[in-house]
Amino acid sequence: SLGFLWIGTEDGLNKYDGYSFDHFRYQPDTPSLSNNTIRCMVEGRDGVLWVGTWGGGLNQFDRETDTFIRYQHDPDDPRSLSHNIVRAVYEDHSGTIWVGTMAGLNKLDRDSGQFTRYQHDPDVPNSLSDNVIWSIFEDSAGVLWLGTNGGGLNKFDRETETFSHY
């Protein structure tokens, strides 16, 4: 939206302004990118850049300081990201950020920084059919669709927070 080309690689995130590159990489003990392997990204309609990594979770880029806010899995916090391998990140029509990981679907509450997790439960037929999320898409009717690894296509019902499987 500001005229930059963002390129995610296995060696970090690159911002190209038409003349030169700025490189963003993981640096210990700093508010840097959480991992150098970039898997996906999306720019929200508010201009916020969200970056999913392979092993470092989700990153929110702060344009004012050229730093990152990290959202990572914490095994002791059920409201944290479900896994640090992020396969898909998507912003829906209402501005909600959805994150697909190797351990389910996550909905970010931007005010609290906490996540609601949706995961496969073999004892619940209308739970997510598979925890590995490859893709997230919202159609023109506002229906959220999820492509999974071994469970096919899932349709998410926002009112009941259940899934139909295809």
mmCIF file of all heavy atoms in Angstrom, residues 6 8 13 33 38-53 57-63 67-72 81 86 88-92 95-99 107-111 113-115:
data_model
loop_
_atom_site.group_PDB
_atom_site.id
_atom_site.type_symbol
_atom_site.label_atom_id
_atom_site.label_comp_id
_atom_site.label_asym_id
_atom_site.label_seq_id
_atom_site.Cartn_x
_atom_site.Cartn_y
_atom_site.Cartn_z
ATOM 1 N N TRP A 6 7.496 -6.490 -0.808
ATOM 2 C CA TRP A 6 7.962 -7.315 0.299
ATOM 3 C C TRP A 6 8.218 -8.721 -0.226
ATOM 4 O O TRP A 6 7.356 -9.318 -0.879
ATOM 5 C CB TRP A 6 6.918 -7.354 1.409
ATOM 6 C CG TRP A 6 6.760 -6.037 2.098
ATOM 7 C CD1 TRP A 6 5.897 -5.040 1.775
ATOM 8 C CD2 TRP A 6 7.515 -5.556 3.200
ATOM 9 N NE1 TRP A 6 6.053 -3.989 2.620
ATOM 10 C CE2 TRP A 6 7.040 -4.278 3.510
ATOM 11 C CE3 TRP A 6 8.542 -6.109 3.971
ATOM 12 C CZ2 TRP A 6 7.571 -3.529 4.559
ATOM 13 C CZ3 TRP A 6 9.054 -5.356 5.007
ATOM 14 C CH2 TRP A 6 8.571 -4.082 5.293
ATOM 15 N N GLY A 8 9.504 -12.528 1.006
ATOM 16 C CA GLY A 8 9.857 -13.459 2.065
ATOM 17 C C GLY A 8 10.708 -14.580 1.505
ATOM 18 O O GLY A 8 10.373 -15.154 0.470
ATOM 19 N N LEU A 13 13.241 -11.459 5.588
ATOM 20 C CA LEU A 13 12.250 -10.643 4.904
ATOM 21 C C LEU A 13 12.966 -9.467 4.260
ATOM 22 O O LEU A 13 13.830 -8.842 4.877
ATOM 23 C CB LEU A 13 11.225 -10.139 5.923
ATOM 24 C CG LEU A 13 10.077 -9.289 5.407
ATOM 25 C CD1 LEU A 13 9.169 -10.103 4.487
ATOM 26 C CD2 LEU A 13 9.272 -8.747 6.593
ATOM 27 N N LEU A 33 12.640 -9.982 13.604
ATOM 28 C CA LEU A 33 11.911 -11.108 13.050
ATOM 29 C C LEU A 33 12.219 -12.346 13.889
ATOM 30 O O LEU A 33 13.360 -12.545 14.305
ATOM 31 C CB LEU A 33 12.383 -11.302 11.607
ATOM 32 C CG LEU A 33 11.552 -12.128 10.655
ATOM 33 C CD1 LEU A 33 10.157 -11.559 10.488
ATOM 34 C CD2 LEU A 33 12.246 -12.188 9.307
ATOM 35 N N ILE A 38 10.549 -17.418 5.963
ATOM 36 C CA ILE A 38 9.231 -16.804 5.802
ATOM 37 C C ILE A 38 8.352 -17.744 4.985
ATOM 38 O O ILE A 38 8.725 -18.166 3.893
ATOM 39 C CB ILE A 38 9.337 -15.440 5.090
ATOM 40 C CG1 ILE A 38 10.395 -14.552 5.755
ATOM 41 C CG2 ILE A 38 7.972 -14.762 5.026
ATOM 42 C CD1 ILE A 38 10.201 -14.308 7.213
ATOM 43 N N ARG A 39 7.166 -18.068 5.503
ATOM 44 C CA ARG A 39 6.239 -18.969 4.817
ATOM 45 C C ARG A 39 5.075 -18.234 4.167
ATOM 46 O O ARG A 39 4.546 -18.684 3.158
ATOM 47 C CB ARG A 39 5.677 -20.006 5.794
ATOM 48 C CG ARG A 39 6.697 -20.931 6.361
ATOM 49 C CD ARG A 39 7.330 -21.813 5.322
ATOM 50 N NE ARG A 39 6.310 -22.589 4.645
ATOM 51 C CZ ARG A 39 6.476 -23.207 3.495
ATOM 52 N NH1 ARG A 39 7.617 -23.167 2.880
ATOM 53 N NH2 ARG A 39 5.504 -23.882 2.959
ATOM 54 N N CYS A 40 4.641 -17.129 4.759
ATOM 55 C CA CYS A 40 3.464 -16.433 4.245
ATOM 56 C C CYS A 40 3.423 -15.033 4.843
ATOM 57 O O CYS A 40 4.062 -14.753 5.853
ATOM 58 C CB CYS A 40 2.187 -17.196 4.602
ATOM 59 S SG CYS A 40 2.033 -17.567 6.370
ATOM 60 N N MET A 41 2.672 -14.158 4.194
ATOM 61 C CA MET A 41 2.458 -12.818 4.753
ATOM 62 C C MET A 41 1.226 -12.203 4.130
ATOM 63 O O MET A 41 0.797 -12.594 3.048
ATOM 64 C CB MET A 41 3.686 -11.940 4.576
ATOM 65 C CG MET A 41 4.020 -11.541 3.175
ATOM 66 S SD MET A 41 5.518 -10.531 3.125
ATOM 67 C CE MET A 41 6.607 -11.682 2.319
ATOM 68 N N VAL A 42 0.681 -11.236 4.833
ATOM 69 C CA VAL A 42 -0.456 -10.479 4.328
ATOM 70 C C VAL A 42 -0.373 -9.071 4.910
ATOM 71 O O VAL A 42 0.061 -8.879 6.043
ATOM 72 C CB VAL A 42 -1.805 -11.160 4.702
ATOM 73 C CG1 VAL A 42 -2.075 -11.102 6.197
ATOM 74 C CG2 VAL A 42 -2.955 -10.549 3.930
ATOM 75 N N GLU A 43 -0.752 -8.106 4.087
ATOM 76 C CA GLU A 43 -0.884 -6.743 4.590
ATOM 77 C C GLU A 43 -2.355 -6.489 4.846
ATOM 78 O O GLU A 43 -3.186 -6.646 3.945
ATOM 79 C CB GLU A 43 -0.344 -5.725 3.587
ATOM 80 C CG GLU A 43 -0.454 -4.304 4.119
ATOM 81 C CD GLU A 43 0.007 -3.254 3.120
ATOM 82 O OE1 GLU A 43 -0.166 -3.478 1.911
ATOM 83 O OE2 GLU A 43 0.516 -2.222 3.566
ATOM 84 N N GLY A 44 -2.677 -6.129 6.069
ATOM 85 C CA GLY A 44 -4.054 -5.820 6.421
ATOM 86 C C GLY A 44 -4.482 -4.503 5.809
ATOM 87 O O GLY A 44 -3.664 -3.689 5.388
ATOM 88 N N ARG A 45 -5.781 -4.314 5.760
ATOM 89 C CA ARG A 45 -6.289 -3.070 5.166
ATOM 90 C C ARG A 45 -5.883 -1.833 5.961
ATOM 91 O O ARG A 45 -5.907 -0.724 5.454
ATOM 92 C CB ARG A 45 -7.792 -3.141 4.980
ATOM 93 C CG ARG A 45 -8.558 -3.011 6.266
ATOM 94 C CD ARG A 45 -9.991 -3.184 6.025
ATOM 95 N NE ARG A 45 -10.159 -4.632 6.170
ATOM 96 C CZ ARG A 45 -11.305 -5.234 6.234
ATOM 97 N NH1 ARG A 45 -12.380 -4.569 6.094
ATOM 98 N NH2 ARG A 45 -11.375 -6.517 6.433
ATOM 99 N N ASP A 46 -5.436 -2.034 7.218
ATOM 100 C CA ASP A 46 -4.939 -0.927 8.037
ATOM 101 C C ASP A 46 -3.450 -0.688 7.817
ATOM 102 O O ASP A 46 -2.846 0.137 8.478
ATOM 103 C CB ASP A 46 -5.223 -1.188 9.515
ATOM 104 C CG ASP A 46 -4.599 -2.483 10.033
ATOM 105 O OD1 ASP A 46 -3.944 -3.199 9.245
ATOM 106 O OD2 ASP A 46 -4.775 -2.781 11.228
ATOM 107 N N GLY A 47 -2.844 -1.447 6.872
ATOM 108 C CA GLY A 47 -1.431 -1.265 6.554
ATOM 109 C C GLY A 47 -0.478 -2.098 7.372
ATOM 110 O O GLY A 47 0.728 -2.059 7.148
ATOM 111 N N VAL A 48 -1.001 -2.870 8.323
ATOM 112 C CA VAL A 48 -0.138 -3.709 9.154
ATOM 113 C C VAL A 48 0.288 -4.930 8.345
ATOM 114 O O VAL A 48 -0.534 -5.601 7.730
ATOM 115 C CB VAL A 48 -0.849 -4.143 10.451
ATOM 116 C CG1 VAL A 48 -0.010 -5.151 11.225
ATOM 117 C CG2 VAL A 48 -1.158 -2.929 11.311
ATOM 118 N N LEU A 49 1.583 -5.222 8.368
ATOM 119 C CA LEU A 49 2.132 -6.392 7.692
ATOM 120 C C LEU A 49 2.271 -7.522 8.704
ATOM 121 O O LEU A 49 2.890 -7.363 9.755
ATOM 122 C CB LEU A 49 3.493 -6.063 7.087
ATOM 123 C CG LEU A 49 4.140 -7.168 6.262
ATOM 124 C CD1 LEU A 49 3.341 -7.421 4.976
ATOM 125 C CD2 LEU A 49 5.575 -6.796 5.917
ATOM 126 N N TRP A 50 1.671 -8.675 8.370
ATOM 127 C CA TRP A 50 1.717 -9.872 9.197
ATOM 128 C C TRP A 50 2.569 -10.904 8.467
ATOM 129 O O TRP A 50 2.336 -11.181 7.296
ATOM 130 C CB TRP A 50 0.312 -10.416 9.420
ATOM 131 C CG TRP A 50 -0.574 -9.442 10.131
ATOM 132 C CD1 TRP A 50 -1.395 -8.507 9.557
ATOM 133 C CD2 TRP A 50 -0.711 -9.281 11.534
ATOM 134 N NE1 TRP A 50 -2.037 -7.791 10.525
ATOM 135 C CE2 TRP A 50 -1.641 -8.236 11.750
ATOM 136 C CE3 TRP A 50 -0.145 -9.916 12.629
ATOM 137 C CZ2 TRP A 50 -2.005 -7.828 13.021
ATOM 138 C CZ3 TRP A 50 -0.518 -9.509 13.903
ATOM 139 C CH2 TRP A 50 -1.439 -8.476 14.087
ATOM 140 N N VAL A 51 3.534 -11.493 9.175
ATOM 141 C CA VAL A 51 4.498 -12.407 8.570
ATOM 142 C C VAL A 51 4.504 -13.726 9.344
ATOM 143 O O VAL A 51 4.782 -13.745 10.541
ATOM 144 C CB VAL A 51 5.915 -11.792 8.578
ATOM 145 C CG1 VAL A 51 6.913 -12.725 7.918
ATOM 146 C CG2 VAL A 51 5.922 -10.415 7.912
ATOM 147 N N GLY A 52 4.215 -14.818 8.634
ATOM 148 C CA GLY A 52 4.251 -16.147 9.226
ATOM 149 C C GLY A 52 5.567 -16.819 8.921
ATOM 150 O O GLY A 52 6.057 -16.761 7.792
ATOM 151 N N THR A 53 6.157 -17.455 9.925
ATOM 152 C CA THR A 53 7.471 -18.073 9.759
ATOM 153 C C THR A 53 7.420 -19.580 10.001
ATOM 154 O O THR A 53 6.469 -20.099 10.589
ATOM 155 C CB THR A 53 8.504 -17.457 10.726
ATOM 156 O OG1 THR A 53 8.166 -17.831 12.063
ATOM 157 C CG2 THR A 53 8.572 -15.957 10.581
ATOM 158 N N GLY A 57 6.718 -18.607 14.616
ATOM 159 C CA GLY A 57 5.380 -18.085 14.857
ATOM 160 C C GLY A 57 5.011 -16.951 13.922
ATOM 161 O O GLY A 57 5.487 -16.866 12.783
ATOM 162 N N LEU A 58 4.153 -16.058 14.418
ATOM 163 C CA LEU A 58 3.623 -14.927 13.662
ATOM 164 C C LEU A 58 4.317 -13.648 14.105
ATOM 165 O O LEU A 58 4.607 -13.461 15.288
ATOM 166 C CB LEU A 58 2.116 -14.808 13.917
ATOM 167 C CG LEU A 58 1.373 -13.699 13.195
ATOM 168 C CD1 LEU A 58 1.296 -13.976 11.689
ATOM 169 C CD2 LEU A 58 -0.038 -13.554 13.782
ATOM 170 N N ASN A 59 4.592 -12.764 13.132
ATOM 171 C CA ASN A 59 5.230 -11.479 13.420
ATOM 172 C C ASN A 59 4.372 -10.341 12.878
ATOM 173 O O ASN A 59 3.846 -10.432 11.776
ATOM 174 C CB ASN A 59 6.597 -11.408 12.735
ATOM 175 C CG ASN A 59 7.574 -12.396 13.297
ATOM 176 O OD1 ASN A 59 8.392 -12.068 14.127
ATOM 177 N ND2 ASN A 59 7.491 -13.642 12.840
ATOM 178 N N GLN A 60 4.260 -9.289 13.647
ATOM 179 C CA GLN A 60 3.570 -8.067 13.229
ATOM 180 C C GLN A 60 4.637 -6.987 13.069
ATOM 181 O O GLN A 60 5.359 -6.671 14.016
ATOM 182 C CB GLN A 60 2.551 -7.661 14.297
ATOM 183 C CG GLN A 60 1.832 -6.366 13.997
ATOM 184 C CD GLN A 60 0.910 -5.960 15.149
ATOM 185 O OE1 GLN A 60 0.639 -6.721 16.072
ATOM 186 N NE2 GLN A 60 0.438 -4.731 15.102
ATOM 187 N N PHE A 61 4.734 -6.450 11.854
ATOM 188 C CA PHE A 61 5.764 -5.455 11.577
ATOM 189 C C PHE A 61 5.314 -4.077 12.041
ATOM 190 O O PHE A 61 4.207 -3.627 11.741
ATOM 191 C CB PHE A 61 6.058 -5.422 10.076
ATOM 192 C CG PHE A 61 7.154 -4.470 9.693
ATOM 193 C CD1 PHE A 61 8.443 -4.649 10.151
ATOM 194 C CD2 PHE A 61 6.896 -3.387 8.863
ATOM 195 C CE1 PHE A 61 9.466 -3.779 9.797
ATOM 196 C CE2 PHE A 61 7.897 -2.508 8.502
ATOM 197 C CZ PHE A 61 9.182 -2.704 8.972
ATOM 198 N N ASP A 62 6.175 -3.392 12.788
ATOM 199 C CA ASP A 62 5.936 -2.026 13.240
ATOM 200 C C ASP A 62 6.686 -1.097 12.301
ATOM 201 O O ASP A 62 7.917 -0.997 12.357
ATOM 202 C CB ASP A 62 6.416 -1.855 14.681
ATOM 203 C CG ASP A 62 6.132 -0.468 15.248
ATOM 204 O OD1 ASP A 62 6.049 0.517 14.467
ATOM 205 O OD2 ASP A 62 6.001 -0.367 16.472
ATOM 206 N N ARG A 63 5.972 -0.402 11.434
ATOM 207 C CA ARG A 63 6.584 0.460 10.413
ATOM 208 C C ARG A 63 7.301 1.670 11.015
ATOM 209 O O ARG A 63 8.230 2.198 10.416
ATOM 210 C CB ARG A 63 5.528 0.943 9.418
ATOM 211 C CG ARG A 63 4.978 -0.148 8.545
ATOM 212 C CD ARG A 63 3.940 0.441 7.580
ATOM 213 N NE ARG A 63 3.175 -0.565 6.911
ATOM 214 C CZ ARG A 63 3.496 -1.098 5.736
ATOM 215 N NH1 ARG A 63 4.591 -0.730 5.129
ATOM 216 N NH2 ARG A 63 2.717 -2.009 5.187
ATOM 217 N N THR A 67 10.637 -2.695 13.604
ATOM 218 C CA THR A 67 10.789 -3.831 14.503
ATOM 219 C C THR A 67 9.546 -4.724 14.388
ATOM 220 O O THR A 67 8.595 -4.391 13.671
ATOM 221 C CB THR A 67 10.982 -3.383 15.961
ATOM 222 O OG1 THR A 67 9.835 -2.630 16.372
ATOM 223 C CG2 THR A 67 12.248 -2.547 16.108
ATOM 224 N N PHE A 68 9.561 -5.823 15.126
ATOM 225 C CA PHE A 68 8.476 -6.800 15.042
ATOM 226 C C PHE A 68 7.919 -7.114 16.419
ATOM 227 O O PHE A 68 8.654 -7.176 17.407
ATOM 228 C CB PHE A 68 8.988 -8.100 14.414
ATOM 229 C CG PHE A 68 9.393 -7.937 12.975
ATOM 230 C CD1 PHE A 68 10.669 -7.509 12.658
ATOM 231 C CD2 PHE A 68 8.500 -8.205 11.953
ATOM 232 C CE1 PHE A 68 11.061 -7.357 11.340
ATOM 233 C CE2 PHE A 68 8.868 -8.049 10.637
ATOM 234 C CZ PHE A 68 10.159 -7.629 10.316
ATOM 235 N N ILE A 69 6.629 -7.346 16.452
ATOM 236 C CA ILE A 69 5.952 -7.895 17.622
ATOM 237 C C ILE A 69 5.753 -9.374 17.318
ATOM 238 O O ILE A 69 5.222 -9.721 16.267
ATOM 239 C CB ILE A 69 4.609 -7.196 17.878
ATOM 240 C CG1 ILE A 69 4.834 -5.710 18.138
ATOM 241 C CG2 ILE A 69 3.869 -7.868 19.031
ATOM 242 C CD1 ILE A 69 3.577 -4.884 18.094
ATOM 243 N N ARG A 70 6.191 -10.224 18.233
ATOM 244 C CA ARG A 70 6.139 -11.673 18.009
ATOM 245 C C ARG A 70 4.942 -12.299 18.730
ATOM 246 O O ARG A 70 4.669 -11.974 19.882
ATOM 247 C CB ARG A 70 7.409 -12.333 18.522
ATOM 248 C CG ARG A 70 8.659 -11.875 17.839
ATOM 249 C CD ARG A 70 9.861 -12.499 18.494
ATOM 250 N NE ARG A 70 11.104 -12.027 17.889
ATOM 251 C CZ ARG A 70 12.289 -12.285 18.373
ATOM 252 N NH1 ARG A 70 12.413 -13.033 19.460
ATOM 253 N NH2 ARG A 70 13.362 -11.816 17.773
ATOM 254 N N TYR A 71 4.298 -13.205 18.027
ATOM 255 C CA TYR A 71 3.222 -14.017 18.596
ATOM 256 C C TYR A 71 3.681 -15.468 18.437
ATOM 257 O O TYR A 71 3.781 -15.965 17.315
ATOM 258 C CB TYR A 71 1.904 -13.797 17.863
ATOM 259 C CG TYR A 71 1.409 -12.379 17.941
ATOM 260 C CD1 TYR A 71 1.793 -11.435 16.997
ATOM 261 C CD2 TYR A 71 0.563 -11.971 18.968
ATOM 262 C CE1 TYR A 71 1.333 -10.128 17.060
ATOM 263 C CE2 TYR A 71 0.100 -10.662 19.040
ATOM 264 C CZ TYR A 71 0.502 -9.749 18.086
ATOM 265 O OH TYR A 71 0.051 -8.458 18.146
ATOM 266 N N GLN A 72 3.969 -16.111 19.577
ATOM 267 C CA GLN A 72 4.536 -17.445 19.523
ATOM 268 C C GLN A 72 3.790 -18.413 20.435
ATOM 269 O O GLN A 72 3.073 -18.002 21.357
ATOM 270 C CB GLN A 72 6.019 -17.395 19.904
ATOM 271 C CG GLN A 72 6.838 -16.610 18.897
ATOM 272 C CD GLN A 72 8.303 -16.518 19.260
ATOM 273 O OE1 GLN A 72 8.649 -16.097 20.352
ATOM 274 N NE2 GLN A 72 9.164 -16.912 18.329
ATOM 275 N N LEU A 81 -0.525 -18.778 20.348
ATOM 276 C CA LEU A 81 -0.558 -19.407 19.038
ATOM 277 C C LEU A 81 -0.389 -20.917 19.209
ATOM 278 O O LEU A 81 0.420 -21.361 20.025
ATOM 279 C CB LEU A 81 0.570 -18.822 18.185
ATOM 280 C CG LEU A 81 0.603 -19.155 16.707
ATOM 281 C CD1 LEU A 81 -0.609 -18.578 15.987
ATOM 282 C CD2 LEU A 81 1.887 -18.613 16.085
ATOM 283 N N VAL A 86 3.925 -21.561 10.968
ATOM 284 C CA VAL A 86 2.755 -20.900 10.393
ATOM 285 C C VAL A 86 2.725 -21.190 8.899
ATOM 286 O O VAL A 86 3.679 -20.900 8.183
ATOM 287 C CB VAL A 86 2.790 -19.373 10.664
ATOM 288 C CG1 VAL A 86 1.651 -18.676 9.960
ATOM 289 C CG2 VAL A 86 2.760 -19.112 12.165
ATOM 290 N N ALA A 88 -0.259 -20.354 6.941
ATOM 291 C CA ALA A 88 -1.140 -19.401 6.260
ATOM 292 C C ALA A 88 -1.523 -18.289 7.226
ATOM 293 O O ALA A 88 -1.710 -18.529 8.420
ATOM 294 C CB ALA A 88 -2.400 -20.105 5.756
ATOM 295 N N VAL A 89 -1.637 -17.081 6.698
ATOM 296 C CA VAL A 89 -2.151 -15.953 7.476
ATOM 297 C C VAL A 89 -3.109 -15.188 6.569
ATOM 298 O O VAL A 89 -2.844 -15.006 5.376
ATOM 299 C CB VAL A 89 -1.013 -15.058 8.048
ATOM 300 C CG1 VAL A 89 -0.160 -14.456 6.963
ATOM 301 C CG2 VAL A 89 -1.563 -13.980 8.960
ATOM 302 N N TYR A 90 -4.259 -14.765 7.131
ATOM 303 C CA TYR A 90 -5.316 -14.169 6.328
ATOM 304 C C TYR A 90 -6.069 -13.128 7.156
ATOM 305 O O TYR A 90 -6.303 -13.332 8.347
ATOM 306 C CB TYR A 90 -6.297 -15.277 5.881
ATOM 307 C CG TYR A 90 -7.311 -14.828 4.876
ATOM 308 C CD1 TYR A 90 -7.009 -14.806 3.522
ATOM 309 C CD2 TYR A 90 -8.575 -14.430 5.262
ATOM 310 C CE1 TYR A 90 -7.938 -14.393 2.576
ATOM 311 C CE2 TYR A 90 -9.511 -14.012 4.343
ATOM 312 C CZ TYR A 90 -9.183 -14.000 3.000
ATOM 313 O OH TYR A 90 -10.111 -13.586 2.063
ATOM 314 N N GLU A 91 -6.441 -12.035 6.520
ATOM 315 C CA GLU A 91 -7.314 -11.050 7.163
ATOM 316 C C GLU A 91 -8.671 -11.116 6.488
ATOM 317 O O GLU A 91 -8.768 -10.998 5.262
ATOM 318 C CB GLU A 91 -6.743 -9.635 7.041
ATOM 319 C CG GLU A 91 -7.646 -8.620 7.742
ATOM 320 C CD GLU A 91 -7.225 -7.176 7.503
ATOM 321 O OE1 GLU A 91 -7.080 -6.789 6.342
ATOM 322 O OE2 GLU A 91 -7.078 -6.447 8.494
ATOM 323 N N ASP A 92 -9.734 -11.314 7.277
ATOM 324 C CA ASP A 92 -11.074 -11.388 6.697
ATOM 325 C C ASP A 92 -11.703 -10.001 6.545
ATOM 326 O O ASP A 92 -11.073 -8.980 6.865
ATOM 327 C CB ASP A 92 -11.964 -12.348 7.483
ATOM 328 C CG ASP A 92 -12.375 -11.836 8.862
ATOM 329 O OD1 ASP A 92 -12.202 -10.631 9.160
ATOM 330 O OD2 ASP A 92 -12.886 -12.651 9.652
ATOM 331 N N GLY A 95 -11.555 -7.577 9.424
ATOM 332 C CA GLY A 95 -10.257 -7.210 9.970
ATOM 333 C C GLY A 95 -9.679 -8.232 10.922
ATOM 334 O O GLY A 95 -8.610 -8.012 11.500
ATOM 335 N N THR A 96 -10.366 -9.366 11.086
ATOM 336 C CA THR A 96 -9.863 -10.423 11.948
ATOM 337 C C THR A 96 -8.698 -11.129 11.265
ATOM 338 O O THR A 96 -8.761 -11.439 10.080
ATOM 339 C CB THR A 96 -10.971 -11.443 12.264
ATOM 340 O OG1 THR A 96 -12.026 -10.769 12.956
ATOM 341 C CG2 THR A 96 -10.446 -12.592 13.123
ATOM 342 N N ILE A 97 -7.640 -11.380 12.030
ATOM 343 C CA ILE A 97 -6.475 -12.106 11.532
ATOM 344 C C ILE A 97 -6.637 -13.579 11.901
ATOM 345 O O ILE A 97 -6.822 -13.923 13.070
ATOM 346 C CB ILE A 97 -5.162 -11.545 12.125
ATOM 347 C CG1 ILE A 97 -4.972 -10.079 11.734
ATOM 348 C CG2 ILE A 97 -3.966 -12.399 11.694
ATOM 349 C CD1 ILE A 97 -4.839 -9.842 10.234
ATOM 350 N N TRP A 98 -6.557 -14.427 10.866
ATOM 351 C CA TRP A 98 -6.638 -15.883 11.008
ATOM 352 C C TRP A 98 -5.272 -16.463 10.673
ATOM 353 O O TRP A 98 -4.649 -16.054 9.705
ATOM 354 C CB TRP A 98 -7.680 -16.452 10.056
ATOM 355 C CG TRP A 98 -9.072 -15.977 10.359
ATOM 356 C CD1 TRP A 98 -9.683 -14.867 9.842
ATOM 357 C CD2 TRP A 98 -10.013 -16.573 11.238
ATOM 358 N NE1 TRP A 98 -10.949 -14.748 10.358
ATOM 359 C CE2 TRP A 98 -11.181 -15.781 11.217
ATOM 360 C CE3 TRP A 98 -9.974 -17.713 12.041
ATOM 361 C CZ2 TRP A 98 -12.304 -16.094 11.972
ATOM 362 C CZ3 TRP A 98 -11.105 -18.023 12.801
ATOM 363 C CH2 TRP A 98 -12.252 -17.230 12.760
ATOM 364 N N VAL A 99 -4.819 -17.420 11.481
ATOM 365 C CA VAL A 99 -3.500 -18.005 11.303
ATOM 366 C C VAL A 99 -3.637 -19.524 11.250
ATOM 367 O O VAL A 99 -4.147 -20.145 12.193
ATOM 368 C CB VAL A 99 -2.547 -17.601 12.455
ATOM 369 C CG1 VAL A 99 -1.155 -18.124 12.203
ATOM 370 C CG2 VAL A 99 -2.535 -16.091 12.642
ATOM 371 N N LYS A 107 -7.488 -17.670 15.757
ATOM 372 C CA LYS A 107 -8.088 -16.350 15.533
ATOM 373 C C LYS A 107 -7.474 -15.390 16.536
ATOM 374 O O LYS A 107 -7.551 -15.607 17.751
ATOM 375 C CB LYS A 107 -9.609 -16.417 15.699
ATOM 376 C CG LYS A 107 -10.293 -15.078 15.491
ATOM 377 C CD LYS A 107 -11.806 -15.188 15.526
ATOM 378 C CE LYS A 107 -12.314 -15.497 16.894
ATOM 379 N NZ LYS A 107 -13.784 -15.408 17.012
ATOM 380 N N LEU A 108 -6.858 -14.316 16.028
ATOM 381 C CA LEU A 108 -6.184 -13.351 16.890
ATOM 382 C C LEU A 108 -7.152 -12.289 17.388
ATOM 383 O O LEU A 108 -7.868 -11.671 16.602
ATOM 384 C CB LEU A 108 -5.040 -12.676 16.128
ATOM 385 C CG LEU A 108 -4.302 -11.552 16.840
ATOM 386 C CD1 LEU A 108 -3.617 -12.038 18.112
ATOM 387 C CD2 LEU A 108 -3.292 -10.895 15.909
ATOM 388 N N ASP A 109 -7.142 -12.083 18.692
ATOM 389 C CA ASP A 109 -7.816 -10.936 19.296
ATOM 390 C C ASP A 109 -6.761 -9.845 19.362
ATOM 391 O O ASP A 109 -5.838 -9.905 20.181
ATOM 392 C CB ASP A 109 -8.334 -11.288 20.692
ATOM 393 C CG ASP A 109 -9.014 -10.119 21.383
ATOM 394 O OD1 ASP A 109 -8.599 -8.946 21.186
ATOM 395 O OD2 ASP A 109 -9.967 -10.363 22.138
ATOM 396 N N ARG A 110 -6.871 -8.863 18.490
ATOM 397 C CA ARG A 110 -5.828 -7.844 18.381
ATOM 398 C C ARG A 110 -5.704 -6.983 19.624
ATOM 399 O O ARG A 110 -4.631 -6.446 19.908
ATOM 400 C CB ARG A 110 -6.088 -6.965 17.157
ATOM 401 C CG ARG A 110 -5.856 -7.719 15.863
ATOM 402 C CD ARG A 110 -6.313 -6.900 14.701
ATOM 403 N NE ARG A 110 -5.217 -6.677 13.793
ATOM 404 C CZ ARG A 110 -5.324 -5.983 12.681
ATOM 405 N NH1 ARG A 110 -6.453 -5.419 12.341
ATOM 406 N NH2 ARG A 110 -4.287 -5.824 11.895
ATOM 407 N N ASP A 111 -6.775 -6.829 20.386
ATOM 408 C CA ASP A 111 -6.714 -6.012 21.596
ATOM 409 C C ASP A 111 -5.898 -6.677 22.699
ATOM 410 O O ASP A 111 -5.107 -6.027 23.380
ATOM 411 C CB ASP A 111 -8.122 -5.702 22.112
ATOM 412 C CG ASP A 111 -8.891 -4.800 21.169
ATOM 413 O OD1 ASP A 111 -8.255 -3.973 20.466
ATOM 414 O OD2 ASP A 111 -10.128 -4.924 21.113
ATOM 415 N N GLY A 113 -3.989 -9.623 22.180
ATOM 416 C CA GLY A 113 -2.847 -10.380 21.681
ATOM 417 C C GLY A 113 -2.979 -11.869 21.922
ATOM 418 O O GLY A 113 -2.018 -12.620 21.777
ATOM 419 N N GLN A 114 -4.193 -12.292 22.275
ATOM 420 C CA GLN A 114 -4.427 -13.708 22.537
ATOM 421 C C GLN A 114 -5.173 -14.353 21.374
ATOM 422 O O GLN A 114 -5.832 -13.668 20.585
ATOM 423 C CB GLN A 114 -5.208 -13.880 23.830
ATOM 424 C CG GLN A 114 -4.433 -13.388 25.039
ATOM 425 C CD GLN A 114 -5.205 -13.618 26.319
ATOM 426 O OE1 GLN A 114 -6.414 -13.451 26.388
ATOM 427 N NE2 GLN A 114 -4.479 -14.006 27.365
ATOM 428 N N PHE A 115 -5.091 -15.679 21.324
ATOM 429 C CA PHE A 115 -5.689 -16.434 20.228
ATOM 430 C C PHE A 115 -6.790 -17.355 20.721
ATOM 431 O O PHE A 115 -6.712 -17.885 21.834
ATOM 432 C CB PHE A 115 -4.629 -17.302 19.535
ATOM 433 C CG PHE A 115 -3.593 -16.515 18.794
ATOM 434 C CD1 PHE A 115 -2.461 -16.046 19.442
ATOM 435 C CD2 PHE A 115 -3.745 -16.237 17.444
ATOM 436 C CE1 PHE A 115 -1.502 -15.322 18.758
ATOM 437 C CE2 PHE A 115 -2.793 -15.501 16.761
ATOM 438 C CZ PHE A 115 -1.666 -15.046 17.420
#
